[in-house]
């Protein structure tokens, strides 16, 4: 009874000092010895605490003296007192929040310092007391009393509100701030622990409601116990996310509060996902995290843009990017927990991902940002991919939704703005980001990262990503992306993931695509990848074609031999069929593109496949169109070195024989029939053969020179435009043959060749003569063994000088390169002593760059020396601004050419479709009957294959099956030709 008696004395005393002394005595008593009415005692303590803010230190001293007493009785852990301690806590929390604001204001006005110190000590004591109160609160929740749970919610709300005020204002009190922040962190932990304690009740009751079919009705009954408990969790999620935002914006001084708050948000949301999904705006929480990421990056961009000359250290970069990684990790967890709600804010997520990618690209392109971009790659690359993967891997997301999400992330920017600062990029809105060209490169770089980590995607997600490969090829034709892929370098994690290395963007892209191929090899998305590779086998853009062919070669390297052989056979059948309708001399034709792709593939396959292709398509083949297909292969660099020596010799003999047959009968009219459909094909074949093997051929003799003389004479005398064009092309190839045959330069007939060439170029003004310039340069570079007197009266010397003059005057950059290369080669090896005679006064390199009007021979020699030195120098890994501009201009021109080519192809197909008759030509009955017999024969052969003895060799089985497959394709083609509408 001593406690009650002392408490009554406290109430009856008018002096604050006496009250404080009495409360101090009360706090010294042992509560265990007190048999008084404890609930009434605690209620009296609550009444004693005045809720109005005090005007002087005395009221704070009185309230401070109440706390130790309340703490002693709280430690008794009496269930019947829990409700009263709740009321006490609510009252004290409200009073502390109001008094905190008043104290901060009074400190700013330099008021009484003692009062503030007493209050902050009181606040610290109360925060510690409130943590202990949560034990009693948890027991009330477990009791399931509806009224009590409402009180608990009020208590938690006031605690979180007080914690919020503490975080906002405590740092203004330096002497207490660190201890108060620690106490606030413990309060946050206590709130999370409380919610976890009653989570079993929530789960149990919700499961019962699901079983009874009353889930929706129960959600509407806000007064039910389970709904009140859920509202406490919801309150905790909302409040902790706000605390996390406050802590994040404090400049990194509240890292512990930051970690605890966001960790608490994730923990609370895991209690009952289905229930909380309808109570908590998960999308808004994700937006909060995204806003923190943007703020961190924007702050860094503004700071680093102002100090361009200062290298950003790795330590400083980690200080900036570690918080960003923390926010990203929490966003990943939220997306994984609530994918459906997260998909509603996917545009915000996509913009966040692209901003991180754009930041990395920008840093990698700046000298002072190299180290920072390495740190960014190490910390953020994988996490940003995880953010997308968490959504794509979710079972709740439909395939159509996945494709829609990826379509909004990987789009073509179409606005006109190309140059924007990093700060401006980080200020883009969701609406403007979709059309922003400045994010194009960021999209490509991020897509490359997604492919690198594609092994962590589920099958449906892999399929969705595979369907965006065509977007990747399309976007590579953009001039900005094109130039960056060919010139830029990016930091990327090595195979171990422990080290960051620098790779060219082109190499990184190829590596990521190959990684994706490996990932897809055992997934249903492999068929989609095969379709993509087949559709782009003849891609018109050379960079895209190069990438696709690299992927084909990667597949060829690891596929089974039978699969590769079967694919090559089908390509050869297609090549032969195309040679019936297209000329092998058109580089842009489907025939030549197919031949180019086959040759590229053969360089990465076993040599036996090269022999197989040669056997299927050679001049000895029975097919009338095979010769043209063979010529197309030679023109695209067919790897003759891979052929067996005997086969190579046979090929050489056939090509040489065809060549001499052609030049021997060139002057005859009409020209004798040839296995080729193209006039001059043997010349093209021999030129290509020598170019592939990079060798000379002793069999090439003076007949070739006589042929050149006859050809030039016919060219000069011909009036037909098409004939002249054809002769120019044949002459170009013949000059290339001569340039690789050193023995011909010592022949007497060479004088006539030079005389005729000189006469052709000085007297003719045909607009297609420029096609001869590259081969003329090759021809002239071989004159090192040609004897000249070097006198003004020597006609052949003057002819050679004037031919060099003609070449060196050309101002087109490509022709300048050909001419200077040829002249440099000639100068280094010739015995001529008067080299100045070979250079005209108005040579292209003799003019000054500024005006282009003043020419000096000394300038030419200086430029020639620089050119030859550059040819031998190593290229710089870092492109200059001028080189980037040239690449961008080149990319724009290549893109325009590709679009024009596609448009022309589309127009031609449309015209062919209009001209095509409604019915196919009626073939003779005998042909139709023969095809029918072939079909029947194929059926019998197929039946016979299944009857083969098992003791036959496996190699024999494979060979027979492959041959049958090719035969089957040919018969199918014949059947389609004979079918009628």
């Amino acid at each position: 009874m001593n406690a009650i008696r002392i408490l009554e004395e406290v109430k009856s005393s008018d002096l604050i000092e006496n009250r404080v002394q009495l409360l101090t005595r009360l706090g010294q008593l042992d509560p265990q010895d007190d048999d008084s009415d404890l609930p009434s005692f605690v209620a009296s303590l609550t009444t004693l605490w005045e809720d109005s803010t005090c005007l002087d230190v005395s009221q704070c001293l009185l309230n401070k003296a109440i706390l130790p007493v309340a703490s002693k009785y709280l430690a008794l852990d009496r269930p019947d007192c829990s409700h009263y301690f709740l009321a006490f806590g609510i009252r004290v929390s409200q009073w502390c929040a109001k008094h905190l604001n008043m104290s901060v204001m009074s400190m700013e006005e330099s008021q009484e310092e003692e009062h503030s110190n007493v209050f902050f000590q009181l606040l610290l004591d109360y925060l510690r007391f409130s943590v202990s109160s949560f034990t009693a609160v948890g027991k009330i929740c477990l009791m399931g009393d509806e009224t009590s749970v409402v009180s608990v919610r009020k208590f938690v709300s006031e605690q979180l509100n007080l914690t919020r005020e503490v975080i906002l204002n405590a740092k203004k009190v330096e002497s207490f701030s660190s201890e108060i922040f620690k106490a606030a962190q413990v309060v946050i932990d206590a709130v999370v622990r409380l919610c976890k304690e009653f989570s079993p009740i929530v789960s149990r009751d919700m499961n019962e409601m699901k079983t009874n079919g009353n889930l929706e009705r129960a959600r509407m009954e806000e007064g039910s116990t389970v709904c009140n408990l859920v509202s406490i969790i919801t309150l905790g999620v909302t409040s902790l996310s706000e605390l996390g935002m406050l802590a994040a914006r404090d400049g990194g001084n509240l890292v512990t509060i930051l970690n605890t708050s966001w960790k608490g948000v994730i923990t609370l949301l895991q209690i009952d996902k289905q229930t909380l999904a309808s109570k908590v705006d998960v999308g808004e929480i994700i937006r909060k995290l995204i806003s923190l990421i943007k703020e961190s990056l924007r702050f860094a961009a503004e700071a680093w843009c102002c100090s361009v000359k200062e290298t950003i250290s790795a330590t400083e970069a980690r200080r900036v990017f570690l918080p960003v990684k923390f926010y990203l990790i929490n966003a990943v967890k939220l997306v994984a927990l609530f994918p459906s709600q997260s998909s509603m804010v996917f545009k915000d997520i996509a913009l966040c991902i692209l901003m991180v990618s754009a930041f990395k690209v920008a840093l990698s392109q700046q000298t002072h940002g190299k180290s920072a971009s390495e740190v960014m790659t190490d910390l953020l690359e994988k996490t940003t991919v995880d953010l997308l993967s968490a959504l794509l891997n979710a079972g709740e997301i439909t395939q159509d939704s996945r494709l829609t999400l990826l379509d909004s992330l990987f789009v073509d920017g179409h606005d006109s703005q190309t140059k924007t600062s990093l700060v401006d990029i980080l200020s883009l809105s969701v609406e403007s980001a979709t059309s922003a060209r400045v994010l194009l490169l960021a999209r490509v770089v991020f897509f490359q990262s997604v492919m690198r980590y594609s092994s962590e995607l589920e099958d449906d997600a892999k399929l969705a990503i595979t369907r965006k490969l065509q977007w990747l090829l399309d976007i590579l034709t953009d001039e900005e992306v094109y130039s960056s892929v060919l010139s830029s370098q990016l930091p990327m994690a090595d195979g171990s993931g422990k080290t960051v290395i620098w790779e060219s963007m082109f190499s990184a892209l190829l590596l990521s695509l190959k990684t994706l191929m490996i990932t897809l090899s055992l997934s249903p998305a492999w068929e989609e990848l095969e379709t993509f590779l087949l559709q782009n086998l003849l891609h018109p853009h050379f960079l895209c074609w190069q990438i696709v062919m690299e992927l084909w070669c990667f597949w060829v390297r690891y596929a089974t031999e039978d699969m590769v052989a079967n694919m090559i056979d089908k390509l050869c059948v297609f090549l032969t069929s195309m040679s019936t309708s297209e000329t092998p001399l058109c580089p842009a034709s489907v025939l030549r593109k197919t031949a180019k792709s086959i040759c590229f593939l053969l360089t990465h396959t076993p040599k036996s496949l090269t022999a197989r292709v040669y056997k299927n398509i050679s001049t000895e083949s029975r097919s009338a169109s095979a010769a043209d297909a063979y010529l197309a292969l030679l023109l695209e660099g067919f790897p003759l070195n891979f052929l067996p020596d005997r086969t190579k010799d046979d090929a050489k003999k056939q090509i040489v024989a065809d060549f001499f047959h052609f030049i021997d009968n060139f002057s005859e009219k009409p020209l004798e029939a040839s296995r080729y459909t193209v006039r001059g094909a043997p010349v093209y074949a021999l030129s290509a053969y020598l170019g592939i093997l990079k060798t000379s051929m002793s069999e090439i003799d003076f007949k070739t020179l006589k042929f050149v003389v006859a050809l030039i004479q016919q060219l000069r005398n011909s009036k037909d435009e098409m004939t002249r064009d054809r002769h120019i092309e044949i002459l170009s190839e013949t000059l290339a043959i001569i340039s690789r045959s050193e023995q011909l330069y010592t022949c007497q007939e060479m004088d006539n060749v030079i005389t005729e060439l000189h006469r052709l170029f000085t007297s003719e003004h045909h607009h297609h003569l420029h096609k001869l310039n590259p081969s003329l340069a090759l021809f002239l570079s071989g004159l090192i063994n040609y004897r000249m007197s070097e006198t003004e009266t020597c006609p052949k010397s003057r002819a050679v000088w004037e031919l060099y003059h003609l070449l060196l005057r050309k101002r087109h950059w490509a022709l300048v390169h050909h001419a200077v290369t040829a002249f440099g080669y000639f100068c280094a090896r010739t015995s001529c002593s008067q080299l100045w005679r070979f250079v005209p006064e108005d040579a292209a390199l003799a003019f000054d760059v500024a005006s282009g009007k003043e020419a000096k021979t000394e300038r030419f020699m200086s430029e020639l020396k620089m050119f030859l030195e550059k040819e031998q120098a190593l290229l710089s890994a870092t492109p200059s601004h001028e080189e980037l501009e040239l690449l961008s201009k080149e990319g724009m021109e290549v893109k325009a050419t590709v679009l024009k080519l596609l448009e022309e192809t589309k127009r031609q197909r449309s015209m062919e479709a209009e001209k095509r008759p409604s019915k196919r030509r009626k073939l003779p009955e005998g042909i139709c009957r023969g095809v029918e017999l072939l079909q029947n024969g194929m059926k019998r052969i197929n039946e016979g294959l299944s009857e083969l003895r098992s003791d036959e060799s496996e190699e024999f089985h494979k060979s027979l099956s492959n041959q049958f497959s090719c035969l089957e394709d040919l018969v199918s083609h014949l059947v389609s030709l004979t079918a009628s509408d």
Side-chain angles (χ1 to χ4, degrees):
M1 295 298 291
N2 286 337
I4 293 294
R5 181 176 56 79
I6 294 175
L7 191 59
E8 290 298 328
E9 291 181 14
V10 172
K11 292 179 181 180
S12 60
S13 176
D14 294 328
L15 295 175
I16 295 294
E17 292 79 1
N18 290 341
R19 287 185 172 189
V20 172
Q21 291 177 0
L22 289 170
L23 286 170
T24 303
R25 284 177 51 198
L26 187 59
Q28 294 171 350
L29 297 177
D30 186 357
Q32 299 287 353
D33 298 335
D34 192 359
D35 57 352
S36 58
D37 184 5
L38 287 183
S40 300
F41 180 82
V42 176
S44 298
L45 287 177
T46 304
T47 306
L48 192 60
W49 192 293
E50 296 186 8
D51 59 356
S52 60
T53 54
C54 51
L55 299 177
D56 55 31
V57 72
S58 58
Q59 182 63 48
C60 275
L61 289 172
L62 176 63
N63 289 344
K64 187 175 182 298
I66 296 174
L67 279 176
V69 178
S71 298
K72 281 201 168 188
Y73 283 89
L74 179 65
L76 295 177
D77 197 16
R78 290 273 297 268
D80 56 340
C81 295
S82 298
H83 295 83
Y84 298 96
F85 278 114
L86 271 179
F88 178 78
I90 292 170
R91 189 182 187 93
V92 176
S93 297
Q94 293 173 339
W95 181 86
C96 287
K98 288 189 291 184
H99 204 299
L100 175 61
N101 288 317
M102 187 194 72
S103 297
V104 170
M105 291 175 62
S106 65
M107 288 177 61
E108 294 174 356
E109 297 171 2
S110 302
Q111 295 291 327
E112 185 181 356
E113 183 179 351
E114 180 189 0
H115 187 183
S116 294
N117 290 339
V118 171
F119 167 72
F120 284 111
Q121 185 59 57
L122 182 154
L123 176 63
L124 187 59
D125 292 342
Y126 173 66
L127 290 174
R128 292 166 180 163
F129 169 83
S130 65
V131 172
S132 303
S133 304
F134 277 99
T135 303
V137 170
K139 292 182 179 180
I140 294 176
C141 293
L142 294 174
M143 290 169 59
D145 181 10
E146 199 168 293
T147 305
S148 301
V149 173
V150 173
S151 300
V152 169
R153 189 188 187 285
K154 178 67 174 175
F155 172 78
V156 173
S157 175
E158 294 299 336
Q159 289 295 318
L160 291 171
N161 180 59
L162 175 59
T163 305
R164 180 180 182 278
E165 295 298 326
V166 164
I167 292 174
L168 279 172
N169 298 299
K171 67 177 182 179
K172 299 175 183 177
V173 188
E174 296 181 3
S175 56
F176 289 93
S177 60
S178 61
E179 292 185 65
I180 292 178
F181 284 138
K182 289 178 183 178
Q185 177 199 343
V186 178
V187 172
I188 295 171
D189 284 332
V191 172
V192 175
R193 188 168 56 250
L194 170 68
C195 294
K196 289 174 67 176
E197 285 180 4
F198 60 71
S199 63
I201 300 175
V202 174
S203 300
R204 182 196 65 202
D205 290 357
M206 295 306 297
N207 287 332
E208 289 179 0
M209 293 177 187
K210 292 176 189 177
T211 304
N212 298 330
N214 296 325
L215 179 57
E216 296 302 323
R217 181 178 60 81
R219 283 177 172 170
M220 300 301 295
E221 294 177 359
E222 297 298 333
S224 66
T225 301
V226 68
C227 285
N228 284 322
L229 292 176
V230 169
S231 70
I232 296 175
I233 300 174
T234 305
L235 172 67
V237 171
T238 306
S239 300
L240 292 186
S241 64
E242 291 178 0
L243 295 180
M245 293 291 288
L246 292 175
R249 288 167 176 163
D250 190 60
N253 297 318
L254 300 177
V255 175
T256 307
I257 298 289
L258 178 71
N259 291 340
T260 306
S261 299
W262 285 110
K263 183 179 178 181
V265 170
I266 303 300
T267 302
L268 295 182
L269 286 173
Q270 289 175 316
I271 290 177
D272 193 311
K273 294 190 293 183
Q274 188 172 357
T275 304
L276 292 174
S278 61
K279 301 290 183 181
V280 178
D281 190 349
V282 177
E284 186 58 34
I285 298 176
I286 293 175
R287 282 197 178 101
K288 288 179 179 179
L289 287 166
I290 290 173
S291 70
L292 293 178
I293 293 171
K294 290 181 182 178
E295 285 178 15
S296 298
L297 295 179
R298 189 181 296 113
F299 175 80
E302 291 171 351
W304 293 342
C305 287
C306 295
S307 55
V308 178
K309 295 182 180 180
E310 297 180 11
T311 300
I312 306 166
S313 67
T315 303
E316 184 181 359
R318 292 186 72 85
R319 180 183 60 79
V320 171
F321 296 134
L322 275 174
V324 174
K325 180 172 185 176
F326 174 77
Y327 306 140
L328 280 171
I329 289 173
N330 283 286
V332 171
K333 292 177 179 178
L334 286 174
V335 171
L337 285 171
F338 301 95
S340 297
Q341 292 87 335
S342 301
S343 65
M344 304 301 292
V345 294
F346 181 75
K347 289 187 176 181
D348 297 87
I349 295 174
L351 180 57
C352 172
I353 289 172
L354 292 176
M355 285 182 173
V356 173
S357 181
F359 204 101
K360 171 186 169 180
V361 172
L363 288 177
S364 66
Q365 294 175 341
Q366 299 171 3
T367 305
H368 73 290
K370 298 288 186 182
S371 297
S373 64
E374 291 177 8
V375 174
M376 195 172 190
T377 299
D378 181 38
L379 293 178
L380 303 183
E381 182 183 35
K382 178 65 167 58
T383 315
T384 51
V385 174
D386 289 342
L387 185 56
L388 177 64
S389 301
L391 197 53
L392 295 181
N393 285 338
E396 296 93 326
I397 304 296
T398 64
Q399 191 67 355
D400 287 342
S401 298
R402 287 189 184 90
L403 294 173
T404 302
L405 296 178
L406 291 177
D407 286 342
S408 65
L409 180 58
F410 302 115
V411 296
D412 305 342
H414 49 77
D415 66 4
S416 58
Q417 192 174 14
T418 56
K419 300 296 182 182
T420 309
S421 70
L422 189 53
V423 177
D424 293 334
I425 292 175
L426 293 170
S427 302
L428 286 172
S429 65
V430 172
E431 292 74 21
S432 61
T434 304
S435 59
R437 278 183 53 79
V438 293
L439 293 177
L440 272 184
L441 195 57
R443 296 180 197 274
V444 174
V445 171
F446 179 67
F447 190 78
Q448 172 238 318
S449 299
V450 173
M451 292 190 293
R452 284 193 64 216
Y453 297 104
S454 56
S455 60
E456 299 180 13
L457 295 174
E458 300 295 335
D459 285 345
D460 288 341
K462 290 175 183 175
L463 179 60
I465 289 294
T466 307
R467 289 181 177 172
K468 295 304 295 180
L469 288 174
Q470 191 61 51
W471 167 85
L472 176 63
L473 288 190
D474 293 342
I475 210 68
L476 288 178
T477 62
D478 179 86
E479 58 271 18
E480 181 187 352
V481 177
Y482 169 86
S483 61
S484 296
V485 167
L486 291 180
S487 63
S488 299
Q489 288 196 321
L490 288 175
M492 57 184 294
D494 66 356
S496 65
K498 298 178 181 178
T499 309
V500 174
I501 58 176
W502 285 84
E503 282 278 4
S504 70
M505 193 170 172
F506 179 75
S507 299
L509 193 59
L510 279 180
L511 180 60
S512 297
L513 282 164
K514 291 174 182 178
T515 303
L516 179 65
M517 285 187 72
I518 295 172
T519 302
L520 299 181
S521 60
L522 298 177
S523 78
W526 178 256
E527 291 185 5
E528 186 74 22
L529 178 65
E530 284 184 330
T531 302
F532 164 78
L533 292 176
L534 285 169
Q535 288 176 341
N536 292 282
L537 180 65
L538 308 179
H539 200 290
H541 195 285
F542 85 92
L543 178 60
C544 299
W545 178 83
Q546 183 74 29
I547 289 173
V548 171
M549 291 312 300
E550 288 286 346
L551 299 183
W552 270 93
C553 293
F554 185 70
W555 173 79
V556 163
R557 211 171 294 134
Y558 297 103
T560 63
E561 188 174 338
D562 288 344
M563 288 179 65
V564 176
N566 187 43
M567 179 60 71
I568 294 291
D569 287 343
K570 289 181 178 179
L571 288 175
C572 288
V573 171
F574 178 71
L575 180 72
T576 306
S577 67
M578 291 309 303
S579 63
T580 61
S581 58
E582 294 189 337
T583 172
L585 300 185
C586 178
S589 66
V590 175
L591 174 63
R592 283 285 292 274
K593 287 181 178 179
T594 307
K596 184 179 181 181
S597 298
I598 292 174
C599 293
F600 196 100
L601 284 174
L602 290 178
T603 59
H604 294 79
T605 58
K607 295 182 179 180
S608 59
L609 282 178
T610 303
R612 183 189 188 96
V613 171
Y614 178 80
K615 186 177 179 181
N616 288 339
I617 306 176
S618 68
T619 53
E620 297 177 357
S621 174
R622 294 180 181 178
S623 173
S625 59
D628 286 347
Y630 178 52
L631 176 59
L633 287 172
L634 288 174
L635 292 173
E636 293 298 343
F638 184 73
L640 294 166
N641 276 327
F642 287 4
L643 294 175
D645 291 340
R646 183 173 178 179
T647 306
K648 193 191 307 180
D649 289 340
D650 291 342
K652 174 184 174 182
K653 290 176 183 177
Q654 184 65 58
I655 289 172
V656 172
D658 288 343
F659 174 73
F660 281 116
H661 178 78
F662 174 77
I663 64 176
D664 288 343
N665 297 279
F666 176 71
S667 299
E668 296 184 11
K669 295 181 180 180
L671 194 64
E672 285 192 15
S674 169
R675 59 173 51 88
Y676 299 101
T677 62
V678 178
R679 180 171 170 80
V683 179
Y684 292 98
L686 179 59
S687 177
Y689 176 88
L690 294 175
I692 293 168
L693 296 180
K694 293 179 172 54
T695 184
S696 60
M697 191 180 288
S698 59
E699 291 86 344
I700 307 300
D701 58 13
F702 66 94
K703 292 182 181 180
T704 305
L705 301 179
K706 289 185 175 181
F707 165 69
V708 171
V709 172
L711 181 62
I712 294 175
Q713 290 173 350
Q714 281 198 19
L715 170 61
R716 292 174 54 217
N717 296 329
S718 176
K719 303 299 182 183
D720 182 62
E721 192 75 14
M722 290 183 62
T723 303
R724 289 167 66 89
D725 289 344
R726 192 178 303 115
H727 282 13
I728 286 174
E729 293 173 357
I730 295 173
L731 177 58
S732 177
E733 297 299 324
T734 310
L735 290 177
I737 293 172
I738 295 173
S739 70
R740 296 188 180 95
S741 306
E742 295 179 5
Q743 71 276 9
L744 294 182
Y745 286 94
T746 59
C747 294
Q748 188 176 355
E749 287 81 1
M750 183 60 73
D751 294 346
N752 295 332
V753 172
I754 291 175
T755 301
E756 289 295 333
L757 281 173
H758 177 256
R759 187 179 301 171
L760 175 67
F761 278 98
T762 55
S763 62
E764 293 286 332
H765 300 286
H766 193 269
H767 65 280
H768 281 174
L769 276 180
H770 69 275
K771 293 181 179 179
L772 285 172
N773 287 324
S775 55
L776 178 63
L778 286 174
F779 171 80
L780 293 178
S781 68
L783 290 174
I784 52 177
N785 296 319
Y786 183 63
R787 294 184 179 181
M788 295 179 289
S789 63
E790 295 187 79
T791 61
E792 290 282 350
T793 58
C794 176
K796 60 182 181 181
S797 295
R798 291 185 63 85
V800 172
W801 296 339
E802 290 185 18
L803 286 173
Y804 260 117
H805 291 181
L806 181 143
L807 277 181
L808 293 172
R809 287 191 185 102
K810 301 294 181 181
R811 294 201 178 189
H812 189 281
W813 65 268
L815 297 180
V816 170
H817 186 276
H818 282 299
V820 175
T821 302
F823 185 63
Y825 181 87
F826 176 78
C827 291
R829 294 164 178 80
T830 186
S831 58
C832 294
S833 57
Q834 301 180 46
L835 292 176
W836 58 271
R837 293 184 179 274
F838 293 82
V839 183
E841 293 182 358
D842 56 347
L845 290 183
F847 289 91
D848 63 303
V849 179
S851 66
K853 295 180 179 180
E854 183 184 0
K856 290 183 179 180
T857 305
E858 294 80 5
R859 185 181 292 116
F860 172 85
M861 299 308 294
S862 175
E863 292 289 337
L864 174 64
K865 181 175 180 293
M866 290 173 58
F867 174 82
L868 296 176
E869 289 175 350
K870 284 181 180 179
E871 287 287 289
Q872 299 176 353
L874 291 175
L875 294 176
S876 173
T878 305
S880 65
H881 179 70
E882 182 183 7
E883 289 171 329
L884 288 175
E885 287 186 344
L886 287 173
L887 272 175
S888 181
K889 183 179 178 181
E890 177 186 293
M892 193 180 301
E893 293 176 354
V894 173
K895 182 180 180 180
T897 303
V898 170
L899 292 175
K900 183 178 179 181
L901 180 63
L902 291 174
E903 188 64 31
E904 180 66 22
T905 303
K906 184 179 179 181
R907 187 182 64 81
Q908 288 179 355
R909 288 178 179 174
S910 177
M911 292 174 61
E912 289 172 2
E914 292 176 0
K915 294 178 181 179
R916 191 178 298 124
S918 58
K919 289 190 177 181
R920 294 176 182 154
R921 180 181 298 173
K922 184 68 175 178
L923 294 175
E925 183 64 29
I927 294 179
C928 295
R929 178 59 180 161
V931 171
E932 185 180 343
L933 291 173
L934 279 174
Q935 282 184 287
N936 294 332
M938 293 299 296
K939 293 178 182 177
R940 295 298 301 273
I941 294 173
N942 194 26
E943 293 171 1
L945 286 175
S946 61
E947 297 172 2
L948 280 175
R949 294 198 308 262
S950 59
D951 58 349
E952 295 285 355
S953 69
E954 184 179 353
E955 185 177 350
F956 177 73
H957 272 279
K958 287 183 179 179
S959 176
L960 197 59
S961 297
N962 289 334
Q963 294 295 332
F964 176 73
S965 177
C966 293
L967 183 59
E968 195 173 30
D969 290 335
L970 287 171
V971 173
S972 298
H973 184 62
L974 285 172
V975 171
S976 66
L977 290 175
T978 57
S980 59
D981 293 339

